[in-house]
Amino acid sequence: MAFANAFGYTVIASRARGFASNPRAISVVNKVGGGLLIGAGAATVTLAGARN
């Protein structure tokens, strides 16, 4: 069981490394992350305004 877990982690890490070296993938991740942060900020402002 431990071997399967370690092997699975190795395969996932290898694919993630290939994904992270792709400039287009990095751009997409940055845009999605930025959008999520903007959404979280808007939700915070909305919820804070509803309390007052």
Side-chain angles (χ1 to χ4, degrees):
M1 184 72 173
F3 175 77
N5 187 15
F7 181 74
Y9 178 79
T10 304
V11 170
I12 291 170
S14 174
R15 290 182 187 228
R17 183 175 185 185
F19 180 77
S21 66
N22 182 351
R24 187 170 181 208
I26 294 170
S27 176
V28 169
V29 169
N30 284 339
K31 289 176 183 171
V32 169
L36 290 172
L37 287 172
I38 290 169
T44 300
V45 168
T46 302
L47 293 175
R51 291 184 184 170
N52 292 332

